Amino acid sequence: MSSGFSNTSGVKHPDPYKEANLDTQVSTQTKLDDLSKFMDASKFCMMTTVNPKTHQLVSRCMALAGQENGGLDLLFHTNTESGKTDDLAADTHINVGFLNNSGEWASVSGTTEIITDRELVKKHYKPHLKAWVGDLGDGVHDGSANDPRIGIIRVKMATAHYAISHKNIASRLTEVAKGVVTGDTAVVNRLREISEEEVSKLRLTH
């Protein structure tokens, strides 16, 4: 809903970009499948948590380690002694935002849990993690899959919003240029939303 900052009451649609690009013609399952593929392809995202001391939002670049339940749950490696796990211990709410070099993007909001189960950690462990946590030289905290500092952040989706393109770069630029000249809204993306209700229904079958 509009905040009314620019007094757009009475106009046809105050947000013509969303009206022109919102894609409501696909099933909920298709929306999840396409989102899952996009996140896998993007790999890297910005993970946003709340600092419990300052109440400010803090974002960090993270690499997607895996997906569960068809993309409803996202997995990320973490050092359990790091600031982000402290943030999540105080407030489990989170957002992860993906972006590629074509301007396609995805935003997933939800809640988290920190998993230290060694079977799950070992399933997704990669040797390069040692470079991030280091070897403390005590024979325990060595950066291996058995290092108790290495855990998993599981992000449980509550809602998602994303935009994927159905046109190549040249076509999108042409569409934008036309809009600059004519005032017509550029139709360049498929804007999709997955609501809390849709997520709840998806969890019944995943």
Side-chain angles (χ1 to χ4, degrees):
M1 178 169 296
S2 171
S3 299
F5 287 115
S6 56
N7 189 24
T8 54
S9 60
V11 300
K12 192 172 187 179
H13 197 289
D15 187 358
Y17 170 76
K18 183 174 182 178
E19 181 186 35
N21 289 273
L22 188 62
D23 183 8
T24 60
Q25 302 304 310
V26 293
S27 68
T28 303
Q29 184 60 57
T30 296
K31 288 193 289 187
L32 180 62
D33 290 344
D34 287 349
L35 173 61
S36 175
K37 292 174 185 175
F38 175 75
M39 293 187 294
D40 258 344
S42 298
K43 180 68 174 177
F44 294 99
C45 70
M46 295 300 289
M47 175 182 284
T48 302
T49 60
V50 180
N51 183 302
K53 295 179 180 179
T54 65
H55 305 292
Q56 300 295 321
L57 300 177
V58 182
S59 297
R60 306 165 179 86
C61 184
M62 299 287 287
L64 184 64
Q67 300 186 39
E68 295 177 329
N69 299 318
L72 290 171
D73 300 329
L74 309 179
L75 306 179
F76 299 88
H77 296 111
T78 188
N79 180 342
T80 57
E81 307 307 307
S82 68
K84 59 183 172 293
T85 51
D86 291 341
D87 291 353
L88 294 171
D91 188 336
T92 63
H93 291 90
I94 199 167
N95 177 269
V96 290
F98 296 83
L99 177 70
N100 68 18
N101 58 12
S102 295
E104 297 171 306
W105 56 268
S107 172
V108 176
S109 296
T111 55
T112 58
E113 54 184 341
I114 307 299
I115 310 297
T116 56
D117 175 72
R118 300 331 295 171
E119 287 190 18
L120 184 64
V121 170
K122 289 177 180 178
K123 178 179 178 180
H124 296 282
Y125 178 82
K126 296 292 189 297
H128 72 262
L129 290 171
K130 186 172 183 177
W132 296 104
V133 299
D135 184 345
L136 302 187
D138 60 0
V140 177
H141 304 92
D142 57 3
S144 72
N146 293 312
D147 188 328
R149 293 174 299 164
I150 298 178
I152 296 286
I153 296 173
R154 176 183 282 136
V155 176
K156 300 181 73 65
M157 182 192 299
T159 62
H161 301 74
Y162 68 99
I164 55 176
S165 180
H166 57 289
K167 297 181 178 181
N168 60 36
I169 290 292
S171 297
R172 294 166 73 188
L173 289 174
T174 299
E175 186 75 13
V176 171
K178 183 181 74 173
V180 171
V181 174
T182 66
D184 293 336
T185 305
V187 181
V188 293
N189 288 317
R190 293 189 180 102
L191 290 178
R192 293 176 178 172
E193 301 174 350
I194 304 178
S195 68
E196 287 189 78
E197 182 181 1
E198 289 174 313
V199 170
S200 295
K201 290 181 178 178
L202 284 165
R203 289 195 180 279
L204 296 176
T205 57
H206 289 76

